Amino acid sequence: MSSRTVIVVGHGMVGHRFVEALRERDVDHTWQVTVLSEEPVAAYDRVALSSYVGGWDASSLALAGNDYAGDEQVQVRLGETALAIDRAARTVTTTSGEVLGYDALVLATGSSAFVPPVPGRDSAGCFVYRTLADLDGIRAAAEAAAAQGRPTGVVVGGGLLGLEAANALNLMGITPHVVEFAPRLMPLQVDAGGGALLRNLVEKLGLTVHTGVGTQEITELPEGGLRVGLSDGGTIDASLVVFSAGVRPRDQLARDAGLAVGERGGVLVDTGCRTSDPAIYAVGECAAIEGRCYGLVGPGYASAEVVAERLLHREASFPGADLSTKLKLLGVDVASFGDAQAATPGALEVVLNDAVAGTYAKLVVSDDAQTLLGGVLVGDSSAYATLRPLVGHPLPADPAALISPAGAQVGVGSLPDDAQVCSCNAVTKGTIGAAIAGGCCDVAGLKACTSAGTTCGSCVPMLKTLLASAGVEMSTALCEHFTQSRAELFEIVRATGIRTFSALIAQHGKGAGCDLCKPVVASILASLGTGHVLDGEQASLQDTNDHFLANIQRNGTYSVVPRVPGGEITPDKLIVIGEVARDFGLYTKITGGQRIDMFGARVEQLPAIWKRLIDAGMESGQAYGKSLRTVKSCVGSSWCRFGVQDSVAMAVALENRYRGLRSPHKIKLGVSGCARECAEARSKDVGVIATDHGWNLYVGGNGGFTPRHAELLAQDLDDATLVSYIDRYLMFYVRTADRLQRTAPWMESLGTDGRTGLEHLRQVVCEDSLGIGAELEAAMQAHVDSYTDEWAGVLNDPDKLSRFVSFVNAPAEPDPTIAFTEADGRKVPVLLGLPIRRDDRSPSVPDPQLEAAR
């Protein structure tokens, strides 16, 4: 049993990291942990707060393990925080009135948004940009503004947070003005040259920037809305104002308890993160470590690790902070690292400003030009991953060559072992090298072993480079019968014209094949238009769902999901679906993809059901297998007063275009008619969101076992360009992804040479860097032109039709083991009992591979 209690006040990213670190290392269960969380939700990724906009799915930001499920040593109290600390009695009084005793107290109260003392700052329509609740409030105001025809917003603050807030307003359909008191945007991260280019780039995206200007007052207008008065005499009429002018440490609880605070605020702590009371520690943004507060998550994580070690009576001190920053704001790359402002005495600057290309790069070096001190990158930050770890180390080449597009490339061999590869988690090249030597052979293993790449992810390309430089070769063989990867087999089939599995394995494989390679080859053949999937020997390659063109369910029956392109359906077709379900006694359920699922069909009933649908002008849908599933849509501009484009028409067109497309994993699309994102397009493999100027295209999102938000690939596209980009993207994915690889990990795998997978994709899809754009589009058009209704193909072929029986030797007999019952008014299958081994009674747990295969 635990004998000591630690109370953690605050459950943000740093508070969560502290609990994780302590529980991981406290193998003797010395500490019982109580976490007080002011917010009603457990720790979430505040760094990625802006990604909440659009999907509005708070669960997507939740940090892994934030509920400490199954850990009896940790108790989390959501919506409850500390009101007062009694240091003498070592107790905390919470907002519930309870008094909790502690042996150690960790303050992780974070920071609050700074609101300048501007008259009118408390007016209705004024917000800060800090929490999920803040964004919910801004969203409501934005929607009201759009309804009243005043879609303009003002962001006070042109720093990192301010530009994120402006980006969020932009996504909500609000035209943002950014007001920055300093003479340039992001004054703490970039210099004058970088700031000038950054302003130029963001103004091209529709933002209005006011620099060197203060906000003097905010007044409420009689007709509604706000008027923002500026120090240069100008005014801006807006529907809402967002203050994003920096943060201040939340130290009031400590002040009230008599703890020492820093000159500029923050709970004063030593390098062991201990306050003036030895039983109380402070971590993260509320802590002033030897007088200095750090507003980044990396130093916060480092302080959490220090306190976890200290509570276990181990030596640990705050190691200092890397204040490097790499962001993509409004689609613009911005990065700064080290001494970006050249504050070091004698520092020299090497600058390459390419106004035509829209890039700015500066390196700061020591007075002898031998040591890299820092740098700024705007417009193209691809060199960040290799340059940042070199800070404080000898330059491997001439500094001008390092930032020249045709200049020297930095090899990982140039990095010393103490170079910090992951600044968020303070992981060095040496640590990663040791993990690789210890057996880690892929990025996932390195993440689990070292935590590198688990926060902002900007170092993931470097992890891959280090794996490659260490000689790690990950097998890409499809299975024991083929040494080639799926992508290699695809190219073999495409190039050789082989159109049967038997010929392929005879010439390029060995053995008879297995359950892994047969469906993959079947998918490749289907992608290349080799006829009906049940023609000839192809039928024997299909898994159960593809073999019967329907979803098999728990009791051996099947479900049928009529295709409803874009979710648009007529009353007559709705009636037909209802009549089919009634006549065949099927259970019906509305799916998450705007379809009607009909459950409980016996295999011999499938052709009759398909015929009823075909006669009514519908077809069954591929709600199974690795292919296009659905294209979800909101109601769009035809009916919705907020819609700016006809999302329904676009969704229908896309679903009809890509239906039947076989792929490495299932594919889902979504089309939203405005930035409110009612179709949840950013959770799809391909997400399309309407703008005033066209369509924004997002790629690489998915739900499932590991949810991911899609990333912006291109914006303000016309219809034709949008379709051509999706053609290229999907066909490139079909050709090059591994078996069962969803679009998100596939994109990640494309990142090389310091570029992210998204950057590589943008080059291939939008810039046609490989010169294959036309070929990819032609391949997709060939698929579209060759598409036929597979279910009708079965009905028109007696041989194929003969497969749809329960018993080959008694085709008229239904399966007698299939039965149904009623439970709570719902039709449910009666399951056959399974034999249970006496030693196999442990609760079942999800199988990740099985989940991935679904």
Side-chain angles (χ1 to χ4, degrees), residues 112-126:
S112 57
F114 169 65
V115 179
V118 179
R121 64 186 182 277
D122 296 327
S123 301
C126 290

Side-chain angles (χ1 to χ4, degrees), residues 16-49:
H16 176 53
R17 170 58 70 93
F18 164 73
V19 178
E20 278 191 321
L22 181 64
R23 292 297 303 124
E24 179 184 339
R25 298 163 195 181
D26 184 15
V27 294
D28 295 328
H29 292 191
T30 305
W31 290 95
Q32 182 76 38
V33 184
T34 298
V35 184
L36 301 177
S37 171
E38 182 179 33
E39 292 187 67
V41 295
Y44 56 88
D45 188 354
R46 203 183 302 275
V47 173
L49 183 64

Side-chain angles (χ1 to χ4, degrees), residues 516 543 545 552 554 626 629 665-666 704-706 739-740 742 844-854:
L516 293 181
D543 62 19
N545 285 339
I552 191 167
R554 299 183 67 183
K626 307 302 174 272
R629 297 289 181 88
H665 209 294
K666 62 185 176 185
F705 203 73
T706 307
R739 168 183 171 271
L740 297 182
R742 302 202 67 165
S844 63
V845 295
D847 181 337
Q849 291 187 343
L850 181 59
E851 290 290 327
R854 285 175 178 163

Side-chain angles (χ1 to χ4, degrees), residues 104-398:
L105 178 65
V106 177
L107 301 177
T109 50
S111 58
S112 57
F114 169 65
V115 179
V118 179
R121 64 186 182 277
D122 296 327
S123 301
C126 290
F127 300 89
V128 296
Y129 192 85
R130 191 64 182 157
T131 66
L132 291 171
D134 294 334
L135 264 65
D136 286 336
I138 294 171
R139 179 191 185 188
E143 290 179 348
Q148 297 171 13
R150 294 195 304 273
T152 299
V154 172
V155 176
V156 179
L160 188 154
L161 288 172
L163 291 182
E164 285 208 8
N167 188 35
L169 292 183
N170 210 26
L171 292 173
M172 294 181 204
I174 300 293
T175 301
H177 288 245
V178 177
V179 179
E180 168 56 48
F181 185 74
R184 63 179 181 272
L185 296 173
M186 294 186 68
L188 298 180
Q189 287 81 24
V190 302
D191 60 359
L197 176 61
L198 178 60
R199 174 174 182 155
N200 185 34
L201 294 175
V202 300
E203 284 185 332
K204 288 182 178 178
L205 299 174
L207 270 72
T208 302
V209 177
H210 310 259
T211 54
V213 176
T215 305
Q216 285 199 319
E217 63 175 353
I218 298 171
T219 55
E220 297 187 38
L221 299 173
E223 64 272 24
L226 302 168
R227 175 160 295 162
V228 180
L230 305 179
S231 60
D232 63 358
T235 60
I236 306 171
D237 287 351
S239 51
L240 59 95
V241 174
V242 178
F243 289 101
S244 193
V247 296
R248 295 291 183 270
R250 297 185 66 188
D251 56 14
Q252 193 60 49
L253 183 66
R255 290 176 186 268
D256 294 343
L259 294 172
V261 297
E263 290 184 3
R264 297 186 176 182
V267 188
L268 191 62
V269 297
D270 58 19
T271 56
C273 298
R274 180 170 288 181
T275 70
S276 52
D277 183 330
I280 302 177
Y281 298 83
V283 296
E285 295 181 5
C286 72
I289 303 174
E290 293 196 312
R292 179 171 182 178
C293 294
Y294 297 90
L296 296 173
V297 70
Y301 280 175
S303 64
E305 301 274 347
V306 167
V307 175
E309 292 285 311
R310 291 282 179 128
L311 289 186
L312 297 173
H313 305 294
R314 300 169 185 165
E315 289 295 324
S317 296
F318 184 69
D322 181 353
L323 303 182
S324 302
T325 303
K326 179 176 183 290
L327 295 169
K328 184 178 288 295
L329 295 166
L330 298 155
V332 179
D333 282 339
V334 183
S336 70
F337 52 94
D339 182 11
Q341 308 290 359
T344 304
L348 305 175
E349 299 182 34
V350 179
V351 176
L352 179 60
N353 189 359
D354 188 342
V356 176
T359 61
Y360 176 89
K362 180 181 81 172
L363 289 188
V364 180
V365 300
S366 59
D367 54 3
D368 59 0
Q370 297 298 309
T371 304
L372 180 63
L373 301 178
V376 175
L377 302 168
V378 178
D380 178 6
S381 61
S382 56
Y384 173 82
T386 49
L387 290 176
R388 186 193 55 75
L390 281 172
V391 172
H393 296 286
L395 286 162
D398 179 77

Side-chain angles (χ1 to χ4, degrees), residues 443-444 447 453 457 460-461 464 708 711 741-752 755-758 761:
V443 171
K447 285 183 174 180
V460 168
K464 294 179 180 177
R708 289 281 298 269
E711 298 179 85
Q741 189 176 35
R742 302 202 67 165
T743 54
W746 167 68
M747 285 172 53
E748 186 175 312
S749 72
L750 297 177
T752 57
R755 292 184 181 275
T756 66
L758 181 67
L761 262 181

Side-chain angles (χ1 to χ4, degrees), residues 237 368 451 507 596 659 719 811 830:
D237 287 351
D368 59 0
S451 296
Q507 296 180 39
I596 300 173
R659 60 183 172 175
D719 289 5
V830 176

